[in-house]
Amino acid sequence: MIAGTPILDLDDVASLEAADSGGLLRSAASAGAQVRATAAAVGEHALTRLQDLRPRSLVIVSGPGRAARAAALLVACLGDSAGLPIVPATSVPPWVGPLDAVLVAGDDAGDPRLVEAVDRALRRGAEVVVAAPDEGPMRAAAAGRAAMLPPRVPVLDHNRLLRYLAVGIAVMGAIDPGRSGPLLPDLEALSDALDAEALRDGPQHEVFHNPAKTLAARMRDHRVVLAGDTPAATTVAEHGAEVLLQAAGQISTAADLAVVVAGHTRLAEAAGGAAAPGFDPLFHDEELDGPAPVQRVRVFAVSAESDQVAVHRRLAVFGSAGGLVDADLVTVEAEAPQAGSQPIPPGRGNELEHLALLVLRLEMAAVYLHLLGRPPISTDRPAHYDGGHY
C-alpha cells in the first residue's frame, strides 16, 4: 500500500515549525549541548578521583534504553584497542573489586538494578561513576562516595545516546589516557561538530542541502533497512531503527551490511510479492502510469569509513532488483558541506566522531519523517520534556 501525498512540504519552514509543537527538532538538535554539558562537568573536576587510577577494567552497568546502546558503541569502537577490558553488563559482576572502575548509567534514578549496582560496587571498593539523575534512591546510594554526572540538558528519551557516549568517552579518557586517549574525540570539538551538523540539518535549509531532510524524503513510502558496514556502524543502525519507530512510527530493521547483501534476492522477492497482478517494474513509468503498486525497500548503509569504494561495490548488487530494492550510503561526507563549514580533519577520534554525527542525522531525519504526516498545527506535547522549540 502506497501512502498518500505528504501533508507538509519539507521546504516549508513555517509549517514545519508549527507542526513541531512538541519540540522534537530541538530535542534532536540538542546533542551538542548534551556533550558540552558533560565536558563542562569534567572541567569542574567531576572525575578528579579517576586521575591516575589505572584500573584493571571498566564495567559499564546500564539500564534499558540509550545507555546500553552507548555502551555497545563504545565497546565496538574501542574494545580491541583500549588498554583495559570494557565490560558491558546489566549488574555488577561478582569479580569486581578495588582494582576496577564501574560506570552506572541510566535514565531512572529509582531503578532498583542501577541503585543496587552502585551500592554493591561501592561496598566492594570499586571506583564508581554514576551517569543518572542525582535524586531519589540513586542519590542516597551514591551519598558522596561516587562521582556524579547527572543530565543537565532536558531531551526526549530516544535522544540521549550521545550524552551517555560522551560520559563513556570522558571516563575512558580519565582512566586510560595512554592507549584509549588517541582514539577518543575531544568533547569540546565533538560538541562543536554536532552543533554544526544540527545547524546543517535544521528546518531552514532546503532538502537539496539538508542531509537529514534528504534521508527523511528517501525513507518515506519505503520499507527501510539500516545496515552497518562495521560492528560500530551496525550499533548506530540499530539505534536509528529504534528512533525511527519511537519518533516517527516507521517500522524498520537493522542488520550488518554483509547480512543485508546476502539477503538481497529475498528482499526483491518480498517487494515483488506485494505488487498488483501484472505489474512489471521494467515497463512501469511513474509519470505515465502513476505510483507503482508496491512499497519498495530501500537500504541505507551506515558507514564511518573514509574509503567508500568497497561499500559502493557491495551496494551495487541492489541495482539488479528491478527497481524494487535500492540502496543509499549514509556517511558524513555523503553531502557537500555548507559554505563556511570545515570538514572533519583526519586523526584523533575520527570513527567515534563520525558515528556521533550520523546518530544526530538519523535522529533529525526521524523527526522530519514524523512531521511529514502531521497537520501543520498540533497541541499535544511529549510528556516530561520542556526543552522548547528548535
Side-chain angles (χ1 to χ4, degrees):
M1 176 179 177
I2 300 299
T5 302
I7 296 176
L8 291 182
D9 180 355
L10 283 176
D11 288 335
D12 186 345
V13 178
S15 294
L16 279 176
E17 293 179 343
D20 185 25
S21 60
L24 303 181
L25 282 171
R26 171 141 189 159
S27 176
S30 297
Q34 294 183 78
V35 174
R36 188 172 290 107
T38 301
V42 174
E44 295 164 6
H45 310 292
L47 300 180
T48 299
R49 64 177 70 200
L50 299 183
Q51 300 299 326
D52 302 320
L53 184 62
R54 306 299 182 269
R56 173 179 57 183
S57 68
L58 172 64
V59 179
I60 305 178
V61 181
S62 55
R66 307 293 82 77
R69 190 67 70 198
L73 181 57
L74 200 66
V75 171
C77 287
L78 303 178
D80 295 337
S81 305
L84 74 169
I86 307 173
V87 183
T90 56
S91 62
V92 175
W95 47 263
V96 165
L99 298 179
D100 304 295
V102 178
L103 170 59
V104 179
D107 300 328
D108 186 1
D111 187 334
R113 292 191 300 108
L114 298 183
V115 173
E116 181 184 3
V118 171
D119 182 65
R120 180 176 300 176
L122 287 171
R123 283 191 285 107
R124 292 180 180 176
E127 198 64 58
V128 179
V129 179
V130 178
D134 187 13
E135 59 190 25
M138 185 62 74
R139 173 181 290 181
R145 300 177 295 164
M148 298 297 296
L149 289 174
R152 298 184 175 187
V153 180
V155 295
L156 295 169
D157 292 350
H158 56 263
N159 297 134
R160 294 175 180 169
L161 183 147
L162 293 178
R163 179 182 101 80
Y164 292 117
L165 182 62
V167 171
I169 290 171
V171 171
M172 285 298 297
I175 65 177
D176 186 32
R179 288 283 298 275
S180 299
L183 305 175
L184 299 171
D186 178 75
L187 289 182
E188 290 288 355
L190 177 58
S191 63
D192 290 341
L194 289 168
D195 284 343
E197 177 68 24
L199 183 62
R200 184 181 174 194
D201 295 332
Q204 71 276 13
H205 294 301
E206 60 187 11
V207 173
F208 185 75
H209 297 293
N210 189 316
K213 284 186 178 180
T214 300
L215 276 178
R218 297 282 290 169
M219 288 176 177
R220 182 171 174 80
D221 297 339
H222 284 76
R223 287 183 281 180
V224 174
V225 178
L226 297 173
D229 65 340
T230 64
T234 301
T235 300
V236 172
E238 291 167 351
H239 171 71
E242 293 173 359
V243 173
L244 285 171
L245 179 63
Q246 291 182 322
Q250 170 74 50
I251 298 175
S252 58
T253 189
D256 182 86
L257 180 58
V259 174
V260 177
V261 170
H264 76 279
T265 303
R266 295 291 178 265
L267 284 175
E269 290 176 353
F279 171 73
D280 187 339
L282 182 63
F283 299 103
H284 184 84
D285 187 331
E286 292 198 4
E287 293 187 3
L288 299 176
D289 304 323
V294 297
Q295 189 172 40
R296 296 186 177 96
V297 177
R298 181 157 284 152
V299 176
F300 295 87
V302 179
S303 176
E305 296 291 339
S306 57
D307 182 8
Q308 302 296 337
V309 175
V311 181
H312 280 295
R313 188 180 299 118
R314 296 169 77 182
L315 295 180
V317 69
F318 296 105
S320 61
L324 296 175
V325 182
D326 60 7
D328 287 353
L329 182 60
V330 182
T331 179
V332 173
E333 292 83 8
E335 302 285 342
Q338 293 293 317
S341 65
Q342 297 295 325
I344 298 174
R348 189 169 184 257
N350 236 9
E351 183 182 18
L352 270 172
E353 183 167 340
H354 282 198
L355 291 174
L357 295 177
L358 294 181
V359 166
L360 173 57
R361 186 177 299 176
L362 287 168
E363 291 180 356
M364 295 284 284
V367 177
Y368 287 124
L369 195 60
H370 166 72
L371 295 178
L372 274 174
R374 300 266 318 229
I377 297 177
S378 177
T379 58
D380 64 317
R381 292 177 180 271
H384 311 299
Y385 173 67
D386 58 358
H389 299 293
Y390 186 87

